[in-house]
Amino acid sequence: MKFYLFIILLITITVKAQNKIDCSKCSLELIDESKLKNEDIYSLKLLKNEIYARKGYVFSSPEYANIFKKYSWYKPVTNNSNIVYSDTEIKNIAILTQRIGEISEFLMNEQNSKYKTLSKEKINEIFTKEKRKELGINFNIWKVYNYKDKTGEYYLVLTEDKFKEPVDGNNFNNAVKAFNFKIENNRWIKTFETNDFKQKEEESIWFWTKYVYVEDFDNDGIIEPILIYGTNGYNGYDDGRIKILLYYKGKKIGIRIQNGILDDERNFSLDAEFYTIPKKIQDKIMEQMNSMVENGHSILPYGWQKKMAKKMTFIQE
């Protein structure tokens, strides 16, 4: 099965290489992003790797090595680490990487019949300037989840007040705001809203979509969104804040985490209602908290799991 998938991928990429993809000017000109709208993920990956190939990059992947060796302009170097990319090439790689990521996430979520994240094009199509004004959306829309459960169709809209363009993957926002809208008889009904802003000693605040969940954890036919956002301070994540919000049966249940380098600086508090929700949802949230620790995004007090087992609402070192 894997062999056949490899052949299909190779044929798809090869055909597009012959008929469609060209990045001969990517070292001098920025890619027109509007021309990427109709490209599939294979075309985009090929275009991105063509930038590397034109610099003589030696591919470990047999698919791309076999494709580019057919071109007279492909001159492999002896050491990839010696390649120097121009500012334009770096920007083009970033543009393609972002687009590939958007499509990858979209395809992954499309496999889940309960929800999907909207593409940038779809967001602009639905949330026009007039629609945003009508719904009270004043910040930049970062991500939109469209989901359905037995109660209807919803749009979870995550927005951020950006004051500076991202640098090296770092976001610079003054505030965040999330809206959840239910579509009922062509009317947009807001079911909840939450907002927060960075404090004086913090550099930025943003939604941590890596940890966000839009799922029906207890299999009751109703989706319970879990939102997570955080901040960074002068020591990065180490002295930032994290907020976990669960919307369960009309109630907002929160966990507020304060990271800290010193023992007496870190703590977190929980709403007492957390311990009344189904165990499956509690376990999922604790799983996400543990992932944040493992990924270096949070520093939780020693023994926090045992203290939560005792249903404590304020936990410190």
Side-chain angles (χ1 to χ4, degrees):
M1 182 66 178
K2 289 183 178 178
F3 175 76
Y4 290 119
L5 288 174
F6 171 81
I7 295 298
I8 291 171
L9 174 61
L10 184 57
I11 292 173
T12 302
I13 293 178
T14 304
V15 169
K16 289 182 179 296
Q18 294 172 342
N19 300 330
K20 196 173 183 179
I21 299 299
D22 176 55
C23 206
S24 58
K25 297 182 179 179
C26 286
S27 63
L28 302 173
E29 301 175 2
L30 284 178
I31 294 172
D32 183 352
E33 294 186 53
S34 65
K35 294 182 179 179
L36 301 179
K37 291 182 180 180
N38 297 321
E39 299 292 346
D40 60 32
I41 193 166
Y42 302 113
S43 300
L44 294 167
K45 286 182 177 180
L46 184 60
L47 190 60
K48 177 181 174 181
N49 281 289
E50 185 179 335
I51 297 176
Y52 296 128
R54 288 184 178 277
K55 304 293 286 192
Y57 188 91
V58 178
F59 295 91
S60 58
S61 166
E63 302 100 302
Y64 294 115
N66 289 331
I67 288 171
F68 292 116
K69 72 180 182 181
K70 299 175 182 178
Y71 293 93
S72 60
W73 50 257
Y74 180 52
K75 309 292 182 184
V77 298
T78 55
N79 190 340
N80 287 340
S81 62
N82 292 332
I83 298 175
V84 177
Y85 297 97
S86 69
D87 290 343
T88 302
E89 288 167 332
I90 292 172
K91 289 177 182 177
N92 282 330
I93 291 170
I95 290 170
L96 291 164
T97 299
Q98 179 178 342
R99 183 60 179 161
I100 290 168
E102 290 172 353
I103 295 179
S104 297
E105 185 172 13
F106 179 77
L107 292 174
M108 180 181 67
N109 291 331
E110 278 289 284
Q111 297 173 7
N112 185 328
S113 60
K114 295 178 182 176
Y115 80 95
K116 61 184 178 182
T117 54
L118 302 188
S119 66
K120 185 184 297 183
E121 292 75 26
K122 195 65 177 178
I123 290 173
N124 291 333
E125 177 186 330
I126 295 174
F127 296 91
T128 61
K129 183 178 180 180
E130 294 75 19
K131 194 65 178 179
R132 296 184 193 208
K133 184 177 181 180
E134 174 193 334
L135 298 175
I137 299 175
N138 300 317
F139 297 165
N140 297 314
I141 294 180
W142 164 243
K143 188 156 292 190
V144 177
Y145 298 84
N146 174 220
Y147 65 94
K148 297 178 181 179
D149 61 22
K150 70 180 185 181
T151 65
E153 180 181 8
Y154 297 83
Y155 286 92
L156 174 60
V157 185
L158 308 184
T159 72
E160 298 175 338
D161 180 23
K162 180 169 61 178
F163 68 86
K164 181 180 176 182
E165 290 298 322
V167 177
D168 296 329
N170 297 316
N171 299 282
F172 298 94
N173 302 313
N174 283 314
V176 295
K177 185 178 286 190
F179 304 84
N180 200 60
F181 299 103
K182 182 179 182 181
I183 308 302
E184 200 169 274
N185 298 323
N186 292 322
R187 293 189 304 125
W188 291 63
I189 301 171
K190 185 167 61 178
T191 60
F192 69 74
E193 175 185 331
T194 188
N195 62 83
D196 202 346
F197 55 89
K198 76 179 185 72
Q199 299 177 357
K200 184 178 180 181
E201 66 276 10
E202 295 171 337
E203 291 188 341
S204 185
I205 182 170
W206 69 100
F207 285 106
W208 293 9
T209 48
K210 179 177 182 178
Y211 303 112
V212 169
Y213 268 90
V214 185
E215 299 286 351
D216 175 15
F217 295 104
D218 55 356
N219 298 314
D220 64 352
I222 301 175
I223 287 178
E224 299 90 15
I226 297 176
L227 294 182
I228 299 180
Y229 62 82
T231 69
N232 63 344
Y234 300 121
N235 293 306
Y237 290 101
D238 291 351
D239 53 5
R241 293 179 294 121
I242 305 168
K243 195 160 187 179
I244 303 172
L245 295 173
L246 166 69
Y247 291 88
Y248 182 74
K249 297 191 183 304
K251 289 185 177 180
K252 181 171 73 172
I253 301 170
I255 299 177
R256 293 156 290 277
I257 299 170
Q258 176 61 61
N259 288 335
I261 298 175
L262 302 178
D263 290 349
D264 61 352
E265 292 178 337
R266 49 185 176 265
N267 61 74
F268 67 93
S269 62
L270 307 88
D271 292 336
E273 289 86 354
F274 174 82
Y275 297 111
T276 67
I277 62 177
K279 185 69 164 53
K280 282 186 178 180
I281 305 179
Q282 291 185 40
D283 290 344
K284 174 52 65 175
I285 291 176
M286 291 181 69
E287 178 186 311
Q288 293 300 79
M289 293 171 68
N290 197 56
S291 294
M292 287 188 281
V293 172
E294 292 177 351
N295 294 332
H297 297 152
S298 181
I299 309 174
L300 297 177
Y302 177 78
W304 61 274
Q305 297 98 327
K306 292 182 178 179
K307 293 176 181 179
M308 286 185 71
K310 296 178 181 178
K311 299 184 177 181
M312 297 176 63
T313 57
F314 183 75
I315 297 173
Q316 56 186 341
E317 201 69 43

